[in-house]
Amino acid sequence: EAGVAQSPRYKIIEKRQSVAFWCNPISGHATLYWYQQILGQGPKLLIQFQNNGVVDDSQLPKDRFSAERLKGVDSTLKIQPAKLEDSAVYLCASSLGTGGPYQPQHFGDGTRLSIL
Amino acid sequence: KNEVEQSPQNLTAQEGEFITINCSYSVGISALHWLQQHPGGGIVSLFMLSSGKKKHGRLIATINIQEKHSSLHITASHPRDSAVYICAAALTGNQFYFGTGTSLTVIP
């Protein structure tokens, strides 16, 4: 089966610019996650979708970050305006059904964002 | 304070050595996941444990629920095992706490 697809793989922008990342989960996976992974740290959940509804966005900096999954399949994550501290790898993951502790998450290769 | 602590942070081993990576957590969990992250970012799920022990090839994962501790063992390590290994504590619902990872380098 095809894995989780993310694009772009790399992005370099200047601070205060905007950027968008795209994710296409594994076919049939209802749950989709966006994580931020800063160098040397573990992934931090930004937002979780189940189909096209938001399950958890408590750690999403809503003043600058937004995400959508309009048709319950692929998703976009946007940052506007970007700050230096947003430099990180942005990982998308998906899982079957409603997710939960017993479901493995399948990760994409991530988008490495560098802010100048 | 991190809910999930891993040790060591960095580990260098000679090819063929037996490797142990430790994970301690402070929260009540439903399951504990071990993940492997290769340079370039891609993360692969290795194990999901809620009790006991699981084995896949040269990898073995154990968990002690009472002591809130899990270990990942690699037997007969190989340079291709070089990666960052992350444990993640999965609570009821959808909340996951990730460790900061153990960076493993296996030297030929």
Side-chain angles (χ1 to χ4, degrees):
Chain A
E1 81 187 343
V4 175
Q6 287 190 248
S7 67
R9 284 300 314 277
Y10 304 94
K11 190 73 177 178
I12 302 173
I13 61 171
E14 295 185 347
K15 60 184 180 185
R16 292 187 288 272
Q17 286 187 324
S18 62
V19 64
F21 314 125
W22 174 82
C23 173
N24 190 28
I26 293 173
S27 178
H29 281 198
T31 302
L32 184 148
Y33 309 82
W34 281 105
Y35 291 95
Q36 180 193 59
Q37 187 178 23
I38 292 171
L39 187 64
Q41 299 182 18
K44 180 185 102 172
L45 179 69
L46 293 174
I47 189 167
Q48 178 186 344
F49 291 95
Q50 185 179 326
N51 296 310
N52 60 352
V54 175
V55 174
D56 183 354
D57 64 355
S58 57
Q59 297 196 82
L60 186 73
K62 297 180 186 64
D63 57 334
R64 297 184 301 106
F65 286 65
S66 64
E68 59 184 15
R69 194 185 183 200
L70 291 174
K71 297 181 180 178
V73 181
D74 56 352
S75 176
T76 55
L77 175 70
K78 296 179 182 177
I79 308 175
Q80 182 178 15
K83 292 186 175 181
L84 291 174
E85 61 260 34
D86 299 332
S87 293
V89 175
Y90 290 84
L91 294 161
C92 178
S94 69
S95 64
L96 275 172
T98 57
Y102 305 110
Q103 286 286 354
Q105 295 182 26
H106 301 261
F107 288 82
D109 288 337
T111 296
R112 185 175 298 274
L113 175 65
S114 297
I115 311 294
L116 304 178
Chain B
K1 175 185 173 298
N2 293 328
E3 289 80 5
V4 178
E5 299 278 358
Q6 288 186 235
S7 65
Q9 280 191 314
N10 297 285
L11 181 56
T12 301
Q14 289 292 132
E15 183 173 356
E17 284 185 1
F18 180 84
I19 288 162
T20 296
I21 299 170
N22 296 299
C23 175
S24 296
Y25 51 91
S26 58
V27 292
I29 67 168
S30 295
L32 191 290
H33 294 253
W34 281 101
L35 310 169
Q36 181 191 55
Q37 185 170 30
H38 279 285
I43 293 179
V44 174
S45 179
L46 297 175
F47 294 104
M48 188 280 293
L49 291 163
S50 52
S51 65
K53 175 176 164 178
K54 286 190 176 179
K55 184 176 189 290
H56 181 71
R58 295 179 295 105
L59 301 178
I60 303 166
T62 64
I63 189 167
N64 185 317
I65 297 294
Q66 287 73 27
E67 294 185 5
K68 296 189 174 181
H69 181 269
S70 177
S71 293
L72 177 68
H73 306 284
I74 305 175
T75 61
S77 59
H78 190 276
R80 65 175 173 268
D81 298 326
S82 298
V84 175
Y85 293 84
I86 301 171
C87 70
L91 282 59
T92 55
N94 292 290
Q95 200 167 12
F96 280 72
Y97 289 107
F98 290 83
T100 55
T102 294
S103 178
L104 171 66
T105 302
V106 181
I107 300 170

